[in-house]
Amino acid sequence: MDEIITLDYGSGGKKTSRLIENMLLPAFSNPALESLGDGAILPGAEKIVFSTDSFVVSPLFFPGGDVGKLAVCGTVNDVAVCGGVPKYLGCALVIEEGFETEKLGKIVASMSRAAKAAGVEIVTGDTKVVERGRGDGVYINTAGIGFLKYPGLSPKAIRPGDAVLVSGTVGDHGTAVMLARSGMMEGELSSDCAALNSLCESILSCGAAVRVLRDPTRGGVATTLCEFVEGSSYSIELEEDKLPVRGAVKAACDMLGLDPLYCANEGKLLCVAAAEDAERVLAAMRATEEGKNAALIGRVTEAHPGKVVMRTAFGGSRILQKLAGAQLPRIC
Amino acid sequence: MSFDAAALLDAIRAFPLGEVRLMEVCGTHTMAIAKSGIRSMLPDNIKLLSGPGCPVCVTPGAVIDAVLELSMRPGITVATYGDMVRVPGSTPGDNLARRRALGAKVEVVYSPVDAVKLAAARPGEEIVFLGVGFETTAPGTAAAVLTAQEQGVKNFSLFSMLKTVEPALRALIASEGFNVQGFLCPGHVATIIGEEGFSFLPRDYALPAVISGFEPEDILLSVYALAKQLAERKPRVQNEYRRAVAPNGNPLARAVMEKCFAPRRDLWRGLGAIEGSGLGLREEFSVFDAEKRFGVEYGAEEKPSACRCGEVITGRLTSAECPLFGKRCTPEDPVGPCMVSSEGACAAYYKYQSC
């Protein structure tokens, strides 16, 4: 690790992994943590799924959502992809001195709407105010609790031949926020920010053999798929021309020098399921509003152990790596 | 008619050619080639090499060191394209991202004019824009200087690292061990300098030159055109990117560029100092010259370093042949700029490894 923490350590890519593996895991070591899922599954008569996430997005309001909606949906999704039914959230606000009450009201109202829509209650919380200049408007931490309904979801369950599916278009959130930040192409794109517990329920109750679910947030689809097979004897082979990417996302990414595969999503799922159940999962996804653009994007093979390989639309092939550091807009 | 890559590849294969080494001069080409997997499709005798066309990669460590030193001075905010944030100076790991974590003010902007706007919005700060790039970005950078002058934005200045393509290619061709049989010329630069801007390649060096667009189809067509010229032994400038490149380029953009900048001796990573290859602000714009305003100095020669980016961007070494590649030098901990830039040869090789 470097002698100081740079922004790259928060990108969700390789440096984040290094921070977790070198500092956090050794310090906190316990079985629930070591699975490194989106949430922890805790023992008990009824197993509990527990997850937490902090939200520091800038700008606070962006097309398709705001930091409040993001904070509720993000944690709901982390619990849901573990096979849990999200029930209760905690909410901690760190507010910068001078922040307009009206804006805070909007964010809180947005949290309330998102919680109601997702069927969760915000049952505990905390409020801190820091001096002006010591925060960026408002930071929100949410923690979520749910009850485990679908056990056994894990990248370890992946088998050769399995199908890889995505619940909709890739890269919408990251690109929309980047554009909102730059003031370019306003109104062209919206974040996909959404609660995915209904989508998860639809997939997990359709009778398919589902191996793993995950919402590809920071680091994007590429990083999450790499995490699925890293260290395993399997590979994932993706078909570039099957990947749903909006035209405006592709155009914005080309312009900014970004790659939709590495842009954050806040309302999408990646799912690996048994090959014979692929159509059934696809139908279950498409039956929901959040999954209407779902697609089968690849297969699990044994050809390139531990790697994600993409057949390009042009007919070539290349290996996809985890995100290395935050994506930076390019020169020309 | 739809594009038939397989037929084109067959045609390339059919040319009676031995090993052919073609150089793409533009970083955007390097990235497009890697991303589309073109290398995995071409016949074995056609090698594509990366040239000195990634603006970040050709900026030497000594200049980055000067930028890093400047960034720590009180009152200064460095405004830059995102690519420059992670480029290390002569010490690996030391870059603007690290300096920002240590307290330097660094803002990522999307165009030079945004830096002028930033300066107008923050009158109490000195905004120094890092002008990087070739003829493609130089006119926009000149326009920003003119805007600052017109609007009287006095706290804006330019640290120019701008360069031009022709002197670098001439130096590269004249250098020892040069072994390239044709150039895939940068479409973006050509929109400014036109077909004429590359006519010296066939005229003075009998080298084929094809101006190419950036879609994989463009690149494959251009490789075909280069192979055809070589097979027929008729080197000339061909413009594959006619939808964007006019024969005489963009005279208006060149006029703006020439109004603000004059050619000067400049330092290149891998190529050393080349006469007339850099663009410095003309005397009448010297109030906007950050080097003069803040007394920035850096050595006239490249510092020795373990990084072999210089050999990579002159076609002497492939990224995979560099002993640091993928070991000590990775995108998250880059030793050289080729591993950082979104258009760098090593970043492209690393991120988009073919299989």
Side-chain angles (χ1 to χ4, degrees):
Chain A
M1 294 204 0
D2 302 306
E3 84 280 19
I4 52 170
I5 298 297
T6 57
L7 283 174
D8 288 344
Y9 284 90
S11 66
K14 290 186 184 176
K15 288 216 171 176
T16 309
S17 306
R18 213 178 293 171
L19 179 64
I20 292 169
E21 281 155 24
N22 295 349
M23 191 185 283
L24 305 178
L25 268 184
F28 303 147
S29 149
N30 62 67
L33 177 65
E34 272 148 26
S35 74
L36 289 183
D38 281 349
I41 295 172
L42 307 177
E46 192 171 5
K47 283 187 178 162
I48 287 173
V49 182
F50 180 40
S51 183
T52 184
D53 209 335
S54 298
F55 298 83
V56 296
V57 66
S58 166
L60 294 169
F61 299 88
F62 46 84
D66 56 71
V67 67
K69 184 179 178 190
L70 205 57
V72 169
C73 296
T75 295
V76 163
N77 295 347
D78 283 347
V79 171
V81 296
C82 293
V85 177
K87 283 284 182 198
Y88 305 110
L89 298 188
C91 158
L93 299 171
V94 179
I95 309 162
E96 184 185 4
E97 181 186 26
F99 190 63
E100 295 95 318
T101 316
E102 191 203 338
K103 280 190 187 163
L104 187 62
K106 275 187 188 164
I107 291 168
V108 170
S110 170
M111 291 184 82
S112 162
R113 271 195 307 275
K116 206 164 281 169
V120 296
E121 287 178 296
I122 299 172
V123 292
T124 182
D126 177 51
T127 309
K128 295 283 188 303
V129 179
V130 295
E131 288 156 52
R132 198 178 178 101
R134 300 278 170 99
D136 192 8
V138 60
Y139 299 141
I140 304 179
N141 172 277
T142 51
I145 278 187
F147 297 102
L148 186 66
K149 185 172 174 189
Y150 300 101
L153 296 173
S154 161
K156 291 195 181 90
I158 293 174
R159 293 292 169 264
D162 283 353
V164 181
L165 303 103
V166 68
S167 66
T169 52
V170 166
D172 297 4
H173 175 77
T175 318
V177 169
M178 198 71 100
L179 284 183
R181 217 176 274 175
S182 71
M184 283 189 281
M185 278 174 76
E186 270 168 285
E188 293 280 327
L189 269 176
S190 276
S191 163
D192 55 354
C193 177
L196 299 174
N197 46 341
S198 309
L199 176 62
C200 289
E201 177 63 29
S202 179
I203 296 168
L204 293 168
S205 63
C206 78
V210 177
R211 316 294 195 204
V212 65
L213 287 180
R214 197 152 298 172
D215 56 334
T217 53
R218 286 174 313 171
V221 164
T223 304
T224 300
L225 292 177
C226 287
E227 286 167 358
F228 281 173
V229 291
E230 107 186 318
S232 80
S233 48
Y234 310 132
S235 50
I236 288 177
E237 295 191 30
L238 281 187
E239 301 289 334
E240 187 176 29
D241 55 7
K242 301 271 172 61
L243 267 174
V245 182
R246 282 183 208 282
V249 168
K250 193 177 177 302
C253 283
D254 281 349
M255 193 170 71
L256 295 170
L258 308 175
D259 186 337
L261 280 169
Y262 292 92
C263 288
N265 306 275
E266 291 292 346
K268 297 290 150 45
L269 277 184
L270 282 169
C271 171
V272 181
E276 61 272 23
D277 292 331
E279 287 304 319
R280 189 190 291 214
V281 173
L282 207 51
M285 283 180 166
R286 287 179 180 162
T288 66
E289 177 60 26
E290 294 79 25
K292 64 182 179 206
N293 296 317
L296 174 65
I297 56 172
R299 295 270 168 205
V300 177
T301 70
E302 293 175 285
H304 307 275
K307 297 209 160 90
V308 178
V309 174
M310 183 155 86
R311 305 271 161 238
T312 69
F314 196 59
S317 62
R318 59 179 168 93
I319 292 169
L320 294 182
Q321 306 257 0
K322 282 167 104 168
L323 177 66
Q327 291 211 97
L328 295 170
R330 68 168 179 199
I331 292 175
C332 58
Chain B
M1 200 180 75
S2 74
F3 182 84
D4 189 344
L8 207 53
L9 285 163
D10 284 343
I12 293 172
R13 231 173 257 122
F15 289 123
L17 294 168
E19 185 178 281
V20 168
R21 293 157 63 87
L22 304 175
M23 179 173 273
E24 83 269 1
V25 183
C26 177
T28 312
H29 279 149
T30 301
M31 223 50 192
I33 288 166
K35 201 170 171 183
S36 59
I38 285 180
R39 240 184 226 99
S40 67
M41 302 162 75
L42 284 174
D44 290 343
N45 65 319
I46 309 281
K47 306 276 184 233
L48 294 180
L49 307 167
S50 303
C54 155
V56 168
C57 304
V58 295
T59 306
V63 179
I64 305 290
D65 287 346
V67 168
L68 296 177
E69 187 272 318
L70 185 63
S71 76
M72 298 306 285
R73 296 197 202 170
I76 284 185
T77 297
V78 172
T80 175
Y81 297 119
D83 293 48
M84 290 294 283
V85 172
R86 226 177 276 135
V87 180
S90 45
T91 311
D94 192 9
N95 53 23
L96 283 172
R98 179 174 170 272
R99 298 296 178 122
R100 181 170 58 193
L102 292 171
K105 283 191 172 169
V106 179
E107 295 282 346
V108 170
V109 293
Y110 296 85
S111 86
V113 173
D114 286 352
V116 179
K117 285 183 196 158
L118 189 69
R122 297 185 189 172
E125 294 171 32
E126 282 286 345
I127 308 293
V128 180
F129 177 68
L130 305 182
V132 186
F134 297 99
E135 284 94 335
T136 334
T137 52
T141 312
V145 173
L146 294 175
T147 305
Q149 188 185 45
E150 253 170 53
Q151 299 178 352
V153 182
K154 294 200 167 75
N155 59 329
F156 166 85
S157 61
L158 169 70
F159 191 143
S160 175
M161 294 164 231
L162 294 164
K163 293 175 167 52
T164 52
V165 170
E166 182 178 332
L169 288 186
R170 284 187 185 275
L172 176 65
I173 294 166
S175 67
E176 209 185 308
F178 174 77
N179 179 14
V180 167
Q181 285 75 48
F183 282 101
L184 196 73
C185 297
H188 293 149
V189 168
T191 59
I192 309 296
I193 68 175
E195 294 170 18
E196 182 50 34
F198 295 100
S199 61
F200 69 98
L201 288 168
R203 189 180 60 231
D204 298 349
Y205 305 102
L207 283 165
V210 176
I211 296 167
S212 175
F214 300 92
E215 296 301 323
E217 291 84 351
D218 290 318
I219 294 169
L220 205 55
L221 264 173
S222 301
V223 169
Y224 166 80
L226 284 169
K228 188 159 187 278
Q229 284 194 34
L230 284 167
E232 292 171 351
R233 298 172 192 275
K234 281 185 192 160
R236 61 189 185 280
V237 177
Q238 260 179 287
N239 184 359
E240 185 280 332
Y241 199 33
R242 288 193 184 178
R243 60 188 190 275
V245 176
N248 67 338
N250 185 339
L252 188 68
R254 283 203 303 275
V256 172
M257 192 168 105
E258 279 153 24
K259 184 175 181 185
C260 287
F261 299 116
R264 63 172 177 182
R265 183 177 193 265
D266 204 0
L267 204 53
W268 294 61
R269 194 182 289 262
L271 293 168
I274 305 172
E275 289 304 329
S277 67
L279 294 174
L281 278 170
R282 289 186 186 275
E283 199 49 45
E284 56 266 43
F285 296 100
S286 61
V287 289
F288 294 106
D289 192 330
E291 289 171 70
K292 290 183 181 148
R293 188 181 293 183
F294 304 108
V296 178
E297 281 180 12
Y298 49 86
E301 298 301 326
E302 229 181 319
K303 290 182 190 172
S305 109
C307 163
R308 295 176 73 178
C309 285
E311 289 165 78
V312 171
I313 59 180
T314 50
R316 288 177 174 75
L317 198 73
T318 66
S319 300
E321 286 165 356
C322 175
L324 303 180
F325 179 80
K327 299 184 182 88
R328 255 190 68 208
C329 186
T330 58
E332 60 273 19
D333 283 313
V335 178
C338 293
M339 190 55 100
V340 187
S341 166
S342 63
E343 305 199 333
C346 298
Y349 268 87
Y350 189 91
K351 191 169 169 201
Y352 300 128
Q353 287 170 46
S354 52
C355 51

